[in-house]
Each structure stands twice: as C-alpha cells, then as structure tokens.
C-alpha cells in the first residue's frame, strides 16, 4: 500500500515539476503574402487579406502548406521526450479491439483490430465455425488512408454494398459484393456523399449524393442539391432512378431507408442540420406515389421501427426532449399520431430489436436504458455497469438477444450480450488495455456560466491529485448541433492522465445534453453563450485550484475548433495552450463552401441581416485577431482532404494569428496530408497526431514527460 502511494505521488511530481520557463518560439514563420481583398456586408467593408489561401488547387497554397509543415515539424523535433511519448502511446494502443457482432444471412459478422492495424478488419463466421476475413480495408491502399466507411447487407444476407473513403474525403465510392463468393457485382458507384445504403430486396438499393461542383475544387466547391437515387443491380449508375431531390424537390440533405419488413420507403429531407420533413412510399404497390407525412422544417422526426402497418416515430413536435409516437402507415398524418412513450425531463432516443423498443435517456450526460413492449409498456430498466455511455440496442425483429457497448472515461469499451426475454446481461468482449481503473476517478461537477446557467463538467484524473493549482489540464468542448458529449474511454488521454494530467469535458449549451432548449440556447445570436460556458469552465478550474492559467490547455474539433478559436481570441490571457482542430473559423464565408450552408440553423449567415452579420463578425476568429496581442501557444490542426470544414478556415486563421502574435508563444499549423475531417484515419496517423499534441502541450507548459 505504501509502495503504491509513493508511486502515485512520484508520478504526479514528475509531470508537474517545471523544467524551465516555457520556451519561446525562436524561428521565423513562413511569409504569407496579403492581398487587397475587401467585401461589403450591409455597408461595412471587411478586409480578407488571406483570401488566396482558399484556393486549395493553387501551387502557391500547396507551397505555403509545405513551408508551414516544415516549421511545425522542426519545432516538434526539438522536444526531447516526444519519442518516449510515442513509444508509450503505441504500447497502450496495441490491444485487441472488437465491435459488437451482427447477423446477416447465415453468418455472424464482426470487426476486429489486432492492435495497431491501420483499419479494422471485417470477419464472419458460420455457427461455431472458425472466423474468416470478409473484408480487409488494410488492403484498399498501401498507406492505410482508404477506409471502409459503411456496409449494408440485403435482407437475406446474400449481397452487400459497402462504401469506401479515400484520403478522408466525404465523397465515397460504393462496391457491391456477392457475399457467398466475395466477388464484385457490377460497376463501382462513384460520387456518393452523405449517404446511407438501404436495400429493396435483392433488386437494388437506395443511396444519396450531390452533383460534383461543375467549376472549382471538388474538395471545397459548394454542394447544394442532395438527391436520393435507386440503383438497380446489373445496370450502369447513369441509369439510376432519381427518387427524390434535385430541381423538383430541392433539399440540401436527403436520405432514404426501407423498413425492415420491406413494405415502406421512408424519406427524410432537410435544408439544415436541424428540422426535417418525412415522406413515405408504399413498396407493396407498383409505382405508388411518394406521400408526405410531415412537411416543413420546424421539428425533427425519425421513423425508428415499422410493423403491422404501424410506424414508430421519434419526434420533438410539442416535446423538446422527444417522445415516441405510433402512426398508421396508411394515414400517417400527425393528427392521427398516438403517444407511446411520453416526453420526460431527459432527452430520449429509441431503437428496436426482437420486437421490443429500447428507450435511451441522457441524464446529466450519462446513459439510462429501459425496455418497452410495442404497445408502450415499460418492462424493465437495464442495469448498466456504472455511470457512462451505453449504445447499440438495436437489431432484427427475429433476434432473441442483442449486443450493447458500455464505456466511460475510466471504463474501456466493453461489449455485453443481452437476453431480451430475461433482461440478463453477460460480458461478451472486454478491452484488454494496459490500464488499472482502480487508480483513476471520474467525477461530475457543476459550475455557473456568465448568465447564471448551471453547466455540468466531468473531470477525470489519477487518484492522489492535489488541488494546488499546478495540475496540467486539458479542457475539451464542442457545444453545437445538438451533439452530446458523453463519457468515453481514450487511450490517448490515458498517456496524459497517468502522469498527473486532468482531462475535463464541459457539456456546453449548443449541445444536446438537455434537449432542444439547451441546443437552441447556443445557436445564432445566442452563440456567445457557448463561448461564455467554456470560459466559465476554465475560470472554475482555476478558482477551485485544479490548475492555473499556466497549466491550462483547451481543445476542440470542427464546431469545437470554432469554440477554441473564439475563446482564445476573446480571452487570450486565460489559456496556456490551444488546439483549434478542423475548425469553422471564418464565420462570414463558411456557408460558401461544401455543405456549409446547411449549418445555418446553428450559426446564421452573414447574408441574413445586418444584425446577424454584425453578431458573426464580432466573434469570427479569423476576423478577431489583434496585432501585438500575446496569444497562447497554439497548434492549429487540419487536413488537406477535409471537404466538410475546408482547410482554408485553418489556413487563414493561422496566418492571421502569426501576423498578430505579440510574444514568444509559438503559433503553428499542422496540416495532415491524405486525411480529411477525421473519420477513417489510419491508426498510425492517429498516433502521430496525438503524440504531437501532447508533446506540444507539455513543452509549452515547461513540463517534461516520464514513463510512469
């Protein structure tokens, strides 16, 4: 016992002992030319001196990226403990990983990664036979940058269609296989984007896409009209039938799915990331028309199950935290909906398996799950291992059991088998990470934001932590698009925490942790609430002496990259290190690239009104750097194939920060090549990214790293 206590204290001392004053950046930033570009917004002139960096096809932009990466690489190379971090993180990452199994036809399928494979491999087995490789994405490309990004099987399991992503792009290719022979059927479909795949018997499947931009870059060009197609096997893609979307029914996001009983095609259509229409087509009647269920974009609706002519619809109509209603498929108008699972004070999601419904609630960002009958009777609460995140309560109608996952900040991902009839769970697969959860703790705290709102935050750290203001902290947030940050285990964070770091996650407004009201409180002209919540989290951590500003880092990606960019330009005095990743950072032009216009529900656009323009202009990170201001040590992170949040955002922000920096703190940009917004990134690339991130953080806090 004494030995264990001494080891814990020693570990904390190793990391928090200051080795020296954090080093100043002694090199020179690459020269970034400026142009005389000015835009007019409601009579206001807005300069855009780095507009030329938006052209991702130009040789000048590519040369700028190369020069910036050289400077960043040289800086990182000087960090003496970087190799030790890499060795430790690689060691921790090297454990066997499994997905939950799923049944298709005669086979049970599952994903497995032996530890350090760049991409997980899809296996299958028949009965108790030996597993065999079905698809190995590691063979798609030599460097592991081509990923399997989705697979769907026909109802009898004899066919499958799978999507691949090359270099992290959102543009996909679709390949069809005969599952018995593993041989390809027909041609490869191309130019598929933001799409599911849904089979209609063995005849073919539905998918969605945009026309590729006629002019300019495929990676950054604006995509506007989403289209739902039906691909009939044995025919060329050019002959695919347009089902919905395009010029006749212009929508920015369109998806289609066939119900499990194969009787109905359900179509969702939206113009923004919030609010959608629902349509239905009766597939049992030849050439049946597409009929509306709900039109307009004021609310959200999702058909989660269908059986015996009934549709089970999750909706927030009159229920900000969502309720489940049942509708007659022959007459599905909202006037006939009957509430099956009513709204509660906790946000609801619903899935189905084995003829049962599974209601998943989010209580203060942790999971609660209940089993219901199809007539709305609650049958039991499902006992989970603790406070954390549960997922995967879905499957086919005939299944007698299902598999679900559970994780938390101190509980590695674990898969359980659940007996639907008895309600009993048993361990199926447990991650064998070299990690002792008994040495760590995770606790939820609540703090007060600028306007008095109570905001939750979860702190995770090694036991023995002292609230003395000297602990390095990584504060992470998102705060947008109704997305909830729930507890999940991270090997990367373990490297930080096992040496005394505190990992903090704030559940900001703009997210979905408390339903639509929480989400809407962080949108459009209330977006500042999100930044205030994050700043208040930082101030709370300092006030309660978990850390001090000398040891406080903030991180976020995508909308979270905007969060970091806005907070560091509003309060540069508050943070020591900042990581804005793949961020939306030019708020006046974001809607002019790829599918950015669809984010307007959360952000509004600079074209909407003088008031909306002025609000965006006031916090847009690219437009709010100030000359001779001492900004925190910053590593902007992006990727050259990010066609969701185009890298021009990060390019322009990094250039503006470098020009404005008024002290010796480094302002660097790390541009990953042959990578996109994040999904499908090979393991080797992910490890490299996290090593660089932790090394940069510790080095700029004047700390060292020692293997525990």
């Amino acid at each position: 016992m004494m030995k264990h206590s001494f080891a814990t204290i020693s570990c904390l001392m190793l990391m928090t002992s200051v080795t020296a004053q954090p080093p100043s950046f002694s090199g020179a930033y690459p020269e970034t030319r400026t142009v005389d570009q000015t835009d007019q917004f409601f009579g206001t002139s807005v300069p855009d001196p780095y507009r030329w960096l938006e052209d991702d096809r130009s040789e000048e932009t590519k040369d700028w990226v190369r020069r910036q990466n050289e400077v960043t690489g040289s800086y990182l190379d000087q960090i003496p403990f970087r190799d030790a971090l890499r060795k430790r993180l690689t060691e921790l990452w090297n454990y066997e990983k499994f997905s939950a199994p799923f049944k298709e036809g005669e086979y049970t399928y599952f994903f497995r990664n032996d530890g350090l494979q760049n991409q997980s491999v899809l296996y299958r087995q028949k009965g108790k036979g030996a597993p065999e490789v079905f698809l190995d994405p590691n063979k798609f490309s030599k460097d592991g940058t081509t990923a399997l990004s989705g697979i769907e099987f026909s109802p009898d399991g004899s066919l499958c269609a799978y999507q691949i992503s090359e270099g992290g792009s959102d543009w996909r290719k679709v390949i069809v296989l005969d599952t018995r022979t593993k041989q390809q059927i027909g041609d490869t479909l191309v130019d598929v984007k933001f799409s599911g795949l849904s089979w209609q018997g063995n005849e073919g499947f539905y998918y969605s896409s945009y026309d590729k931009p006629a002019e300019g870059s495929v990676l950054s060009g604006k995509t506007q009209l989403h289209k739902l197609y039906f691909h009939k096997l044995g025919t060329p893609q050019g002959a695919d039938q347009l089902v919905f979307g395009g010029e006749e029914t212009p929508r920015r996001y369109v998806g289609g799915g066939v119900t499990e009983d194969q009787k109905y095609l359900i179509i969702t259509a939206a113009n923004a990331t919030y609010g959608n229409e629902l349509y239905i087509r009766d597939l049992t009647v030849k050439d049946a028309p597409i009929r509306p269920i709900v039109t307009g974009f004021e609310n959200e609706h999702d058909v989660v199950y269908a059986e015996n002519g009934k549709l089970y619809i999750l909706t927030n109509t009159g229920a900000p935290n969502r309720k489940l209603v049942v509708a007659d498929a022959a007459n599905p108008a909202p006037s006939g909906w009957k509430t099956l699972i009513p709204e509660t004070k906790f946000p609801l999601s619903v899935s189905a398996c084995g003829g049962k419904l599974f209601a998943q609630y989010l209580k203060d960002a942790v999971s609660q799950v209940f089993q219901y009958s199809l007539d709305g009777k609650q049958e039991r609460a499902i006992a989970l291992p603790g406070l954390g995140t549960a997922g995967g309560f879905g499957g086919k109608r005939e299944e007698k059991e299902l598999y679900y996952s559970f994780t938390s900040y101190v509980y590695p991902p674990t898969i359980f088998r659940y007996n639907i009839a008895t309600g009993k769970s048993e361990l199926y697969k447990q991650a064998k990470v070299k990690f002792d959860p008994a040495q760590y703790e995770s606790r939820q705290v609540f703090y007060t934001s600028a306007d008095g709102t109570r905001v939750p935050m979860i702190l995770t750290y090694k036991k023995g932590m002292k609230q003395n203001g000297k602990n390095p902290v990584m504060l992470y947030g998102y705060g947008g698009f109704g997305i909830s940050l729930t507890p999940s285990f991270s090997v990367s964070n373990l490297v930080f925490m096992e040496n005394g770091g505190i990992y903090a996650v704030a559940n900001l407004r703009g997210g979905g942790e408390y339903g639509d009201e929480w989400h809407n409180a962080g949108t459009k002209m209330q977006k500042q609430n999100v930044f205030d919540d994050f700043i208040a989290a930082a101030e709370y951590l300092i006030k309660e002496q978990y850390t001090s500003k000398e040891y406080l880092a903030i991180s976020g990606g995508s909308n979270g990259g905007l969060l970091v960019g806005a907070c560091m330009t509003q309060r540069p005095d508050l943070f020591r290190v900042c990581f804005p990743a793949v961020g939306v950072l030019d708020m006046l032009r974001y809607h002019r690239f790829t599918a950015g216009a669809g984010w307007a529900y959360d952000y509004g656009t600079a074209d909407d009104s003088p008031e909306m323009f002025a609000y965006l202009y006031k916090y847009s990170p690219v437009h709010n750097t100030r000359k001779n201001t001492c900004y925190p040590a910053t590593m902007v992170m992006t990727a050259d194939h990010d066609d969701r949040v185009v890298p021009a955002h990060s390019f322009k922000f990094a250039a503006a920060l470098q020009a404005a920096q008024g002290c010796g703190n480094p302002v660097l940009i790390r541009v990953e090549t042959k990578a996109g917004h994040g999904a499908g990134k090979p393991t080797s690339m992910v490890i490299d990214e996290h090593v660089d991130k932790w090394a940069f953080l510790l080095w700029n806090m004047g700390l060292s790293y020692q293997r525990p």
Side-chain angles (χ1 to χ4, degrees), residues 37-38 47 63 137 152 217 219-220 285 294 371 433 441 452 463 502 519 526 558 622 635 668 674 693:
Q37 172 68 45
T38 302
D63 181 64
E152 291 294 334
S217 171
L219 292 177
S220 61
V285 178
V294 181
Q371 179 176 311
V433 190
E441 61 181 301
K463 291 178 180 177
I502 299 173
H519 173 207
Q526 298 187 91
S558 196
V622 164
M635 187 158 69
L668 306 176
K674 296 187 71 175
K693 191 171 178 180

Side-chain angles (χ1 to χ4, degrees), residues 126-144:
K126 185 183 292 186
K128 296 183 179 180
E132 64 175 9
V133 173
F134 181 68
L135 270 180
D136 184 358
N138 296 290
K139 296 181 178 179
F140 291 173
S141 61
K142 291 182 179 180
D143 58 4

Side-chain angles (χ1 to χ4, degrees), residues 148 155 204:
L148 176 64

